[in-house]
Structures are given as C-alpha cells and as structure tokens.
Amino acid sequence: MQEKLSKLKVLLAEVADLQAASSVLGWDQLVNMPEGGAEDRGDQIATLERIIHIKSTSDEIGQLLDDLVGSIKDLDADSDNARLVKVAKREFDKATKVTPEFVSEFARESTVAQSVWEKAKKASDFKSFQPHLEKLVDLRRQYADFFKPWDHVYDPLLDDFEPGMKTAEVQEIFNSLRPKQVELIKAISEKPQVDKSFLTLEYPEKDQWDFGVQVISKFGYDWTHGRQDKSTHPFTTNFGLNDVRITTRFNPEYLPTALFGTMHECGHALYEMGVDKKYNRSPLGGGASMAVHESQSRMWENLIGRSRPFWNYFFPRLKEIFPSQLGNVDIETFYKGVNAVEPSLIRVEADEATYNLHIMLRLEMEIALMEGRLAVKDAPEVWNEKFKEYLGIVPPNDEKGVLQDVHWSFGGFGYFPTYALGNLVSAQIWERIVTDIPDIDALVEKARFEEILAWLRENLHVFGAKFEPQELVEKVTGSKITPEPYIRYLDKKFKEIYNL
Amino acid sequence: MQEKLSKLKVLLAEVADLQAASSVLGWDQLVNMPEGGAEDRGDQIATLERIIHIKSTSDEIGQLLDDLVGSIKDLDADSDNARLVKVAKREFDKATKVTPEFVSEFARESTVAQSVWEKAKKASDFKSFQPHLEKLVDLRRQYADFFKPWDHVYDPLLDDFEPGMKTAEVQEIFNSLRPKQVELIKAISEKPQVDKSFLTLEYPEKDQWDFGVQVISKFGYDWTHGRQDKSTHPFTTNFGLNDVRITTRFNPEYLPTALFGTMHECGHALYEMGVDKKYNRSPLGGGASMAVHESQSRMWENLIGRSRPFWNYFFPRLKEIFPSQLGNVDIETFYKGVNAVEPSLIRVEADEATYNLHIMLRLEMEIALMEGRLAVKDAPEVWNEKFKEYLGIVPPNDEKGVLQDVHWSFGGFGYFPTYALGNLVSAQIWERIVTDIPDIDALVEKARFEEILAWLRENLHVFGAKFEPQELVEKVTGSKITPEPYIRYLDKKFKEIYNL
C-alpha cells in the first residue's frame, strides 16, 4: 500500500504542478498580459487544461485509486492518507465523466471570453460579450449533462465550488434568510441615513495602496510568499502553498473599493497560506470549498475590517494619510459611514445587509440560464428588472449592471451562491472564536491579530481540503451551514448603528 | 502527406503551447515571484519541461517525421513545409538523445539556482552560489556526453544556441578578431579620453523609464503585443509571436544602463514580433539563432542607438527631460560620451570596442569549466585574473565580477559567444541595409524607423527559424559570419571620435 500511495502522490504532484502552471498563466492574463496575447493564451491554457485532464483521469491513477480505496479501510478514516485517497477518488470520478475535448474547448472559450469581457465591461458593451456568454452557458449546460442523472441541472455546477451541496439546499437556506434580510433593510430604510459623504472624496491611489498594505501586513499577510497587483476585478490565486497572490483595484474617488477589497482578498490569501505545507502539491493543498474560503475573506473584510475595535486602531492612521479628506470626521461617523446600509449597484461594494440580495439575484438568473428559461440576450434587461425589484434601483448601464462581475466570463456559474454561504459561515466561526478568545476586541483594537490568525490556522486553515465543507464547518462551529448567527450578527450591529 | 503534416503540426503546436507556458513561468519568476515561491516554481517548471521533453520526443512525432522526411523530397526544398519538417527533425533528433530524467533535473536545478544567484549577486556572495554552479557545470557536461562523439565537449552546448556552429569555428573567428580589437583599444588608450562625466549624475528612474519608452515606441515596439518590466538582468521573452515582452533595469546614477539596455531588448523583441505569424505555435516561430538575435538587439542598441543621426533627433528630447543634468552638454560631447571606449567591469554596459573581450574571457572560462581544467570554486579568482589581463582592471567584488551575468545561473553555457557573433552579424547586415536605403541617416535623424524595420522584417525577421543561421546570414548579407564589416565599422567610428 505504501508503494502505491507514493506512486499516487507523485502522479498527483505532477497534476498539481500543471494546475499551478495554468494558474500562473491565468494570473498573468488578468494582471499583465498585453491584449494581443489573448488568443495564444487561450491556446496555451487550453493545452495545459487538456493535459491536466488527461493526466488526472489516467488509467494509472484510476487503478491506484481503486486499489487504495480498498486498503485504506485499515487506516484511521481521518488520517491524511485515507482522506487524500478519498478526495482524490472523488475528483477522479468527477473528472472522468467529462471528455478531454470538452475540457480543452471550455478552457479556450473561457480564456478568450475573459479578454472580451474586460473590454466589453469598459465600454459597457454587452453585445460584444453576448456571443461568448452564450457559448459559455451552452458549454456549462453540456457540462452538467455529463453528470446526469441529477436532481437539478445546476447541481453539478454548484458541486464544483461547494462539494456535496445541492441547489435545493442553497435555495432552502436562502429562502429562510431572505425575509429576515428584507425586514432588516426595510427597518433601516425607515431611519435617517448615516453620513458617508466623506468616502466619496478624492483619495489618491498611491496613498490608498500604502494604507491597504499597512492593514494586511498587520493581518499577517506574508510578503515573502505573496504579492499584490492591480487588476480589473480583484482576486486571489496561488501556485502551490508558497506563492499566494492577491490583486486589488482602486477608485480614486471612493475609498472603500480598495480598502475593503484588499482586506477581502487578504482573507482568502491567509487561508491558503495557513494550509499545512505537507499538503502542498496534492489535492488536499487548498481551501475546503469556496464558501469556506469566502468565510475567511468576509471575516477579515467585515467582522474585523468593519468593526469598531478595528477602526479604533486604524482610523487615526488613516487620518494621518488623508488629513484633508478625514480631518473633520470623527471615528463614530467614520465607523457608521463604512457600515452604511443602502441599496447599491456593485456587489463587491455592497454593505453587509444588502450583499446577499445581490447574490440571490445572480443565483436566480444562473438557474434560469441553465434551465433555458432565460436567453443570454435578455440577461441585461432581466438583470435590471430584478435589480429594481430587489434593491429598488436600476443600473445606469451594463458596466455597472450585468457586466460588473468577472465570473460569467470564465463560465463560473455556480460560484456566486458560495459568497452568501460564506457570509453565513463567517458569522458561525466568529461566534466560536469569541468564545475561545474572549478579549478579542481588545486585541483587534491594538491590531494584534496573531492570536486570531493562529486560532484560524489551528482550527480551520491547517486542514486544507482534507474535510468536506459541511463536515469542516460542523467540526469548527458545532453545526452545518446555518443563517442564524449571521442574522444575529447583522441585527445586533445595525440595531446599534441605526437605533432600530 | 497532407494528413501527416497536419497531424505533425497539431503535435508541434501542443509542444509550443507548453514551451510558452514554461516561458511565462520563467518570466514571472524573474519579474514578479516572491522569493518563497522559488522551490515550488522549480517543481512546476521541471514538470513542464519533462512533459515537453516527453511530448517532443514521442514515438508519434518520430514516426511522422520519418515518414515525412521521405516525402518532402517532392516539395520545393525552401517551402515552409519542407523546412518545417527539416527543423523539427533536427530538434527531434537532438532531444531524443537526452533522457527525460535529465531534462527534469536540469530544469529544477537551474530554476532554483537562478533564485540563489539573484540573492548571491546582491550580497556579492559567490560561496552561496558555488554548489549550484558546480551542479550546473556537472549537468552541462553530462548533457554534452549525450551527444558523443563530438570534436569538443563545448560543441553540443554551442549548438543549442547556434545551430550547426562548432567551437573551433568560433575560436577561429575570435582569433582573427582579437588582435584587431586589441590594436584599436590600444590606439584609443593613447588618445585623450572623451568626457562622459555627465552620464554619472542622478537620473531619476521614472524619467529614464519614460524616455526609454519614447525611444522604443519610435523604433516600432508594439505595446498591444508586449510590455516592459523591471528585472535584475534585462531580457526578452515571448509566449508565441503575439506576446513579446522585454525587461529593463535602472541605475539612478548612470544613464546608459537603462537607455541602451532598453534599446537592446527592444531589438530582440522587434525580431520576434516580425516573424511571419503563420509560423506561430511551430518550431519555425522564433529567431534563427542567438547570434542572429543579437545582431538585431545590437543593431538597434549600437548601430542606430549610438549613432550621430539618432542623437540629432533624440538628444534635444533627452535634454528636455533632464535639463539640469544635460543643460550644459552639447550634442557632440554627448555623442562622444556615450561612445567612450574604456575598460569597464560590466559586460552589458561595455562599449562597442571592448565588449567582445568580455565575451572572449567568458568563452575561455566556459571551455575550461567544461573541459574540467577549471574548478568552479576557482572561478572568481580566474575571472579576476583574466579581467586584469584582458582589460587591465580588477572587479572590486564578485557582484561586479563573476556573478554579474544571469547566464550561468540557468546553465546557459554556450550562450555568450553568440553575443560577439551577433556584433559581427549586425555590422554585416548594416552594410547591406545602407546599400538598399542610401538615405538611412536622414531617416534616423527624423526618428523615421518604419523603412528600416520594414527592410529588416522583409529580409530577415519574417523567415523566423526557417533557415539555419549561417544560411540566413549569407542569404541576407551575401556571406557567412565574418569579422571584417564589424572591424570596418569600429575603425571608422572610433577614428573619427578619437582622432586616431
């Protein structure tokens, strides 16, 4: 068995190396690549993805897994080796259902579509992106068909980001969450709005960059194993566990964009940086799921980054960098300002109370696209209608509407719901941390994040993808994904801010 | 035959995609990668290179080539298809001599060694780099052994950069070149030195960057198919023919470093950008050899960039950017200053008359290392001794001595001589251009480089790697690589500058 395990690990490491290579090409495409390189890059990534697919579905790996699945029964079911085989077998079974031709075509189409989307977004020109999105929707439906029979066409897509979770489960969670969020937003809308005018002044990019770097350095972002760049849409990526990069973007006239975006991506990065290095170059070397990942990004962005103790430490420092913009703002006003609840256009800049509505809108559209009930050409119109219905406002153009997110441009249908799930998990985990570290506010107030990061590493990060997400959430918090802690968190916070 | 050709092209395109991917990882390593990523990057590149090697030496390609080599006899020997098969067969035969294990080990060692070298150079700490260099020398000797029998252990190494050229040929060219160069340098050294003090003032990096961009934009560098970044050692790389990137470096107290380095790399880039796009993703999609490549970089850097007509246009513009540094310098003084001949430490900053001596020193050391006559541990001492002998000066430390160049850190023995050969070829080509474009000085004086670039494209760039380097040089200039035009060029130029 040891020999077979070693052999399997070598083969999986090779696949991991190729996946890392593909990620480098993807990162480069979004951060550096001149536009003329798009088509060739599509070919390069398609070739890599095809080889990754062939290698990760090889008969050799299949045979080793079949042999090992039997013999690991003698091992502790929670041992690294038993879990490695289990996770690898799960991924192998999924991957073998899809043809290499499909993988290659999807990689090529999505790479080209991303470049088209970048330009289409800038020009607010949905028409130029439409044929690419149509192709990707079609390919994603073909993808789902590889996994028939399913309960719902959306299940296989969701499963890619949230292993084991079903569309019906998400809909159930969302259905119980929606009325409470709507109720909260309604209550807030009846109160006087807090002042946040000071957030929309001129904030030079360089100073924003420096402050963000200061914050995430305090969080514990390890610059010897990462770097930050600018991109159209902020993201985190990693090439193995020792090179975990983040990107951010700036709005020179709106402070929160880069400020909270940087903290958000740093949260993702801290997760990957905290995975046990022994899992490097293996299927366990990464986060457990996107929802768990989002729980980490949202925790650093919101539960820490939009908290009063955080700003007790950082607001004076922010004021030093932006004296003319914030000289007359007191900390209470600032704290309330960065927590203002108000229907807004851009998901990544939405407040904590309205954010999940942005997700619900997208989920409904994705399900309708996949079911064939919604045609791509109608997406901008439906987006705007739903926006009006959910948030009471209508985007002035597609750049700020249907084109705002990168996800559809790489065919990432199934991804969005994990954001909302991540919000829920972040609050679940936070309730647990607060129990274990009762003086947590005092630590945050001194920007002493070491103990918090250590807790997260020990209880969550270190396990990588060893456990399935629901299993892991239960292990860490005592229960599976549930909306109550998040609702409790929102209620408490906004009752106080808005005197509800 | 058509079917086999198509099949071969698909397989070669796959290899080209993987090579491009590997180049992206290499570029990223030198431009962006945090130091903590070095070891994983070594694994990633090693895996890619191993797969490239396996794929490019596959029985399938071998069989197709064997079949096609017979049938292309019916084709015009200079047709694209005939040449493609010929070049692919040559590369296949070379690659199949080397084991995949060696390729993988070499890729891993050289990747790690590059990171070690970066740090060792900064710290002028040869000792930390020594074991890596020993390993690379050992690996390169093993590499040569795959190609036995050879006339000289250095032949297979040279052949990687200069297809078909032998060590003895290079030595013969250098032997005829050396006395003439030494004679010229001696004559110059007996004359009063020109003023170049104004080059060592403070030149802010940002302004240097901007001027460099202005120059290479005029040269015709296509920013939609390329970009410029900073790196420790300037280089050009490309990922297919549509994404050709250059790097540069700055010395804030020495203007020529970035100025001529940028033009040099742009010369390389213009060559790759000019290769016929129909050769993209094939073995013909790139330069013919390193010497031909260097002929292009050195031509833009020196024959154009250090010429009087060039500065007639650009000096007033340079003065505008650096009024305090150059306000009192006239164009004649500036022209002579950037052409000053003086023994110096850094190869890439050496003047045109002494440059080739830097190369000869390296070639002798490389040959001695490969023959086993020189131990790596003695390299710093021998470097300094030879430096004294050739150039009359001794480097103050290894950073400015044996550690200055990146080449040995990636095991690139055999590369250096192509620089000197490139100088010779640049002058050969220039004599030909001047015949075809008699008013060339007038064009350069107006920064009208379109006609020159068009000439180079039509007569040289467009062919890519279709012809062997000596064949191509003869096709373009009427003779194989020969030192006379370069000597004529140097003599004429420096007689005038130094009143010899």
Side-chain angles (χ1 to χ4, degrees), chain B residues 1 65-79 81-83 85-86:
Chain B
M1 180 169 75
L65 285 171
D66 282 346
D67 295 351
L68 285 164
V69 162
S71 41
I72 57 163
K73 293 199 179 93
D74 305 332
L75 297 178
D76 172 4
D78 281 354
S79 69
N81 283 333
R83 287 289 179 157
V85 171
K86 192 177 167 191

Side-chain angles (χ1 to χ4, degrees), chain A residues 17 28 32 36 47 224 227 245, chain B residues 17 28 36 47 224 227 245:
Chain A
D17 286 342
D28 178 78
N32 299 306
T47 292
T224 63
R227 56 179 283 133
R245 303 188 188 179
Chain B
D17 286 342
D28 178 79
T47 292
T224 64
R227 53 178 284 134
R245 303 188 188 180

Side-chain angles (χ1 to χ4, degrees), chain B residues 185 188 193-194 336 339-343 351-354 494 498:
Chain B
I185 295 164
I188 291 171
Q193 185 53 292
V194 300
K336 288 182 176 173
N339 280 296
V341 172
E342 186 174 55
D351 57 77
E352 292 175 90
T354 59
F494 291 108
Y498 281 97

Side-chain angles (χ1 to χ4, degrees), chain B residues 99 180-181 253 256 277 292 330 340 356 385 403 420 425 448:
Chain B
T99 63
K180 287 171 188 153
Q181 296 240 202
E253 289 165 352
K277 297 284 191 256
V292 180
D330 63 32
N356 287 344
E385 280 167 12
L403 287 174
V425 176
R448 297 293 308 265

Side-chain angles (χ1 to χ4, degrees), chain B residues 174-240:
Chain B
F174 283 13
N175 287 341
S176 95
L177 180 65
R178 191 185 296 106
K180 287 171 188 153
Q181 296 240 202
V182 170
E183 187 188 339
L184 175 66
I185 295 164
K186 190 163 174 294
I188 291 171
S189 72
E190 287 160 3
K191 292 284 179 175
Q193 185 53 292
V194 300
D195 179 18
K196 54 171 197 147
S197 57
F198 50 86
L199 296 174
T200 46
L201 303 174
E202 262 187 54
Y203 287 92
E205 182 175 315
K206 168 77 171 64
D207 296 328
Q208 290 196 46
W209 177 281
D210 290 345
F211 184 74
V213 164
Q214 195 186 126
V215 170
I216 64 177
S217 298
K218 284 280 185 188
F219 280 178
Y221 184 79
D222 173 2
W223 297 96
T224 64
H225 290 88
R227 53 178 284 134
Q228 182 177 247
D229 293 271
K230 283 167 58 176
S231 66
T232 306
H233 193 288
F235 66 98
T236 302
T237 187
N238 58 309
F239 324 128

